[in-house]
Amino acid sequence: MTRGFSWRLGLWLAFAALWSLVFGAVVLLGQSLARLERSERQARQAAAVEENLRLGLWRIDSLLAPLIAQQMLLQIPASDTTDLAGETEPNAEGMKSAVAGLDRLPIQGSFRWLVSPNEPDDHWHAFEQLQVYQRNHVNMMYAQPMADSNVVELNEGYSSQINRSIAANEFNQRAQNFERNNALVVKNGALLRFNQSNQPLLGFWHRGKLLLIRNVSEGALELEGWELDWPTLRSAMQLAVRDLLPEVDFQPVDDVHAPRSPDMLVSIPCLMIPGAVAGNVQEIAVDREWPVAWVLGLLWICSLATFIVTGWAMAIALRLSDRRAAFVAAVTHELRTPLTTLRLYSEMLSNGMIEDESSRRFYLSTLKNEVDRIGHLVENVFAYAKLERGRGPSSMERMDVQELFERVRPRLEMLCQRTDMQLRLAPDGACVSEVQADRSMIEQILINLVDNAAKHARGSFDPCILMRSLDAGRDVHLVVQDHGPGIAKGRRWWRPFSKTVEQAAESSAPGIGLGLSISHRLARQMGGRLIVESSSSGTTVTLVLPKGSDQGRE
């Protein structure tokens, strides 16, 4: 017992360890897939943001370029000179139109400066910075990453390098378009004599203020331009690209020595900060037909289903092993006694050791009973094997209950005589009742019930086994009743081999615990049932069978 328990415990522990490894592998696989999906989603989001960023840069430069070109055609009179150190009132009309859209520049004031190297003041410093800016404003560092951005970037990834290269090429195209447009405006303006200056306007940061500034003429030490209302212009630019980049912002770039970034505008020196959310754009990669969450869910369902099925199959295999072991032990124990008796008595008779005729008849009767006992055991084993293979009733037919009793009565009385019991039939009017059943199955059930009653009720105060039939409407009840000690409390009589070897050894009643189990399963196959009622004063077993079809309609 201990050895068998240890073997089963080891088997279940191995099963649990194996499936722990399987579930651990599924968890690791799920985490890896989740990380890959998250990385891919972030990469796709970053690519979408970067794509919208390039579209936004093109849009802003395309909107600002004609506005700056219009401004280049204007000339600032010398009388309109303004000191930028002081505050000027903003142009209310320009601010209003800028907030509504980029259809007009928000001009805040104009200026005209005369500069001299002999007087290195603030205006001269601005002039020097402007010369440097004119040389560097289109010089860009190739594939410079987005600065101060919340976008998750794959700086070492192949996709990010490609996107940066595309952004750099597009910056060069925007810069070339802007320079070409400025040159055409200056040339046409000079031909048409709209203004006297032949220099383009450049966006330029001076002391935190955004200026559109130029030399009055080539080689002249005189600057003119306009100050833009930066907060108003920034709001207008954010509104212009909000459908592409809802979190967009613009950061001034006032370092004239720094190379340009591909994320900068070429019309004014500022960096576009896209944020982490992309607006209306078709994503770079299409969604999968099967999301990772669905795949992981299906994987977990399949794993759990496999775990349950394998556990259930192993439990069934262990129960089958137990039943086979119980079957071998029970049959071996049940055969040992009659075989011993057969061998001993046959040797005594064959050697002529029994000379008395009455003793010889007793020994021969005992041998016959033991052979019948073995035959009954073999019949039950065959019946159990057929049930295990799933064989149903061979032929269902209508039969008379009284005729059935009379046919099986001789064999039932023989079973009772072996244990000095008596069989008493009380049909109670059942002779007019018919049942729909398999004749051989009913006989097998009645033989098992009477055999059990004869063995277990042996030596009771009333050595009588009562068998009767009752008409119960649509059913017929075949009842076998004895006055024995009853079935042990808690015993699951419908389970095969429910009588253990130890119980068989301690009890005087032989058997392997198959009779009631076989009878129960045979009754169910015929559409009936078996009812067992037991107490200390006896046991009553009722076989419930449906009536014949004609009687059922009546």
Side-chain angles (χ1 to χ4, degrees):
M1 181 71 180
T2 304
R3 183 177 179 181
F5 175 76
S6 301
W7 176 76
R8 287 175 176 79
L9 178 61
L11 183 61
W12 282 112
L13 289 176
F15 175 80
L18 176 62
W19 275 101
S20 298
L21 294 176
V22 172
F23 285 131
V26 172
V27 170
L28 293 177
L29 178 61
Q31 292 177 348
S32 299
L33 289 177
R35 282 196 298 268
L36 288 175
E37 185 186 40
R38 185 165 54 253
S39 300
E40 182 184 1
R41 189 185 305 114
Q42 291 173 346
R44 289 166 56 190
Q45 178 67 14
V49 169
E50 200 161 353
E51 175 71 15
N52 281 13
L53 172 63
R54 296 198 299 269
L55 294 176
L57 290 169
W58 276 104
R59 182 182 294 181
I60 296 297
D61 279 333
S62 299
L63 292 173
L64 288 179
L67 299 180
I68 295 175
Q70 293 175 11
Q71 202 69 27
M72 281 193 292
L73 298 177
L74 301 179
Q75 186 75 30
I76 299 176
S79 60
D80 290 345
T81 303
T82 303
D83 186 3
L84 292 182
E87 296 295 334
T88 58
E89 292 296 329
N91 186 325
E93 183 179 358
M95 287 183 61
K96 181 178 180 181
S97 62
V99 172
L102 278 177
D103 56 357
R104 184 178 302 178
L105 291 176
I107 302 298
Q108 192 163 356
S110 61
F111 60 89
R112 193 179 182 93
W113 297 335
L114 292 174
V115 297
S116 173
N118 298 324
E119 298 178 4
D121 56 4
D122 185 62
H123 294 168
W124 175 255
H125 178 70
F127 177 77
E128 291 182 326
Q129 293 291 100
L130 180 61
Q131 302 304 310
V132 176
Y133 181 67
Q134 286 176 335
R135 293 191 299 268
N136 293 339
H137 78 282
V138 292
N139 297 330
M140 186 196 65
M141 180 182 293
Y142 191 78
Q144 180 178 347
M146 291 184 287
D148 301 327
S149 175
N150 295 326
V151 179
V152 178
E153 298 179 37
L154 304 176
N155 293 325
E156 299 178 357
Y158 178 71
S159 175
S160 179
Q161 294 176 11
I162 293 178
N163 290 334
R164 293 287 82 197
S165 299
I166 294 175
N169 292 332
E170 291 190 358
F171 178 87
N172 292 331
Q173 295 176 11
R174 288 186 288 114
Q176 292 173 8
N177 292 344
F178 186 73
E179 290 292 318
R180 188 182 303 112
N181 181 71
N182 287 350
L184 289 175
V185 171
V186 170
K187 181 179 179 180
N188 293 334
L191 292 175
L192 299 175
R193 300 183 181 276
F194 284 140
N195 61 347
Q196 299 177 358
S197 175
N198 60 356
Q199 298 295 316
L201 283 172
L202 292 177
F204 181 73
W205 289 94
H206 179 64
R207 295 190 177 279
K209 297 181 179 181
L210 178 60
L211 309 178
L212 287 178
I213 191 170
R214 66 185 172 190
N215 291 88
V216 173
S217 61
E218 186 175 358
L221 299 179
E222 187 175 1
L223 303 176
E224 69 174 3
W226 290 266
E227 179 188 355
L228 301 181
D229 183 5
W230 170 242
T232 303
L233 180 59
R234 181 174 63 182
S235 298
M237 291 190 299
Q238 289 174 337
L239 183 63
V241 293
R242 187 161 295 170
D243 61 324
L244 298 175
L245 299 168
E247 299 178 354
V248 70
D249 197 7
F250 296 89
Q251 176 182 327
V253 179
D254 54 4
D255 186 1
V256 297
H257 297 279
R260 306 299 92 188
S261 166
D263 305 322
M264 284 183 60
L265 296 170
V266 295
S267 53
I268 57 175
C270 68
L271 187 71
M272 182 182 286
I273 309 298
V277 178
N280 298 329
V281 69
Q282 185 176 4
E283 294 195 7
I284 305 302
V286 297
D287 291 334
R288 298 184 184 88
E289 294 183 1
W290 290 87
V292 172
W294 292 11
V295 175
L296 290 178
L298 183 62
L299 178 61
W300 271 107
I301 291 174
C302 293
S303 299
L304 291 175
T306 306
F307 170 75
I308 294 173
V309 169
T310 53
W312 176 69
M314 193 169 77
I316 290 179
L318 289 176
R319 284 201 300 268
L320 180 60
S321 176
D322 291 340
R323 288 166 64 178
R324 286 179 176 176
F327 171 78
V328 172
V331 172
T332 303
H333 181 271
E334 186 67 15
L335 289 176
R336 183 181 295 118
T337 300
L339 289 176
T340 302
T341 304
L342 285 172
R343 180 179 180 181
L344 178 61
Y345 284 12
S346 61
E347 288 181 353
M348 293 175 64
L349 290 172
S350 63
N351 293 332
M353 299 176 62
I354 309 300
E355 298 180 354
D356 185 57
E357 186 63 26
S358 60
S359 299
R360 287 172 61 88
R361 285 198 300 268
F362 172 76
Y363 286 155
L364 290 173
S365 176
T366 303
L367 290 176
K368 181 178 180 301
N369 290 336
E370 294 299 334
V371 170
D372 292 340
R373 177 179 170 184
I374 294 176
H376 181 64
L377 173 63
V378 172
E379 287 180 0
N380 276 341
V381 170
F382 281 157
Y384 176 73
K386 290 181 180 179
L387 291 174
E388 287 294 301
R389 287 194 295 267
R391 294 187 179 179
S394 58
S395 60
M396 297 288 290
E397 57 180 319
R398 288 165 50 190
M399 63 191 73
D400 184 83
V401 174
Q402 181 65 23
E403 178 186 352
L404 177 66
F405 279 176
E406 294 297 333
R407 177 176 175 175
V408 76
R409 181 173 183 172
R411 188 170 180 183
L412 298 181
E413 289 179 343
M414 186 181 301
L415 292 175
C416 295
Q417 291 175 1
R418 290 190 315 188
T419 56
D420 298 327
M421 300 290 288
Q422 295 179 359
L423 178 68
R424 187 174 66 188
L425 298 181
D428 295 338
C431 58
V432 296
S433 297
E434 291 183 344
V435 293
Q436 186 79 15
D438 184 284
R439 186 181 301 273
S440 61
M441 285 187 175
I442 294 183
E443 292 180 0
Q444 180 77 26
I445 293 173
L446 293 177
I447 289 172
N448 283 336
L449 297 183
V450 172
D451 182 64
N452 278 346
K455 289 187 296 186
H456 292 281
R458 183 178 184 179
S460 60
F461 66 93
D462 185 0
C464 178
I465 299 174
L466 176 63
M467 189 169 70
R468 66 179 185 273
S469 61
L470 301 175
D471 193 329
R474 288 182 171 271
D475 300 323
V476 173
H477 292 188
L478 306 183
V479 183
V480 177
Q481 182 178 3
D482 64 64
H483 301 282
I487 298 176
K489 186 177 181 181
R491 177 185 168 189
R492 299 180 179 180
W493 57 266
W494 63 89
R495 298 185 62 178
F497 313 110
S498 58
K499 180 179 179 180
T500 63
V501 176
E502 290 80 2
Q503 291 173 337
E506 295 173 359
S507 175
S508 59
I512 59 175
L514 272 181
L516 286 177
S517 174
I518 292 176
S519 301
H520 171 67
R521 294 176 65 174
L522 290 175
R524 293 183 60 183
Q525 287 196 359
M526 292 186 294
R529 64 185 185 276
L530 204 66
I531 302 174
V532 177
E533 300 172 346
S534 182
S535 64
S536 59
S537 59
T539 301
T540 301
V541 183
T542 303
L543 172 61
V544 181
L545 292 174
K547 284 184 178 180
S549 56
D550 293 341
Q551 289 182 334
R553 285 191 293 268
E554 293 175 0

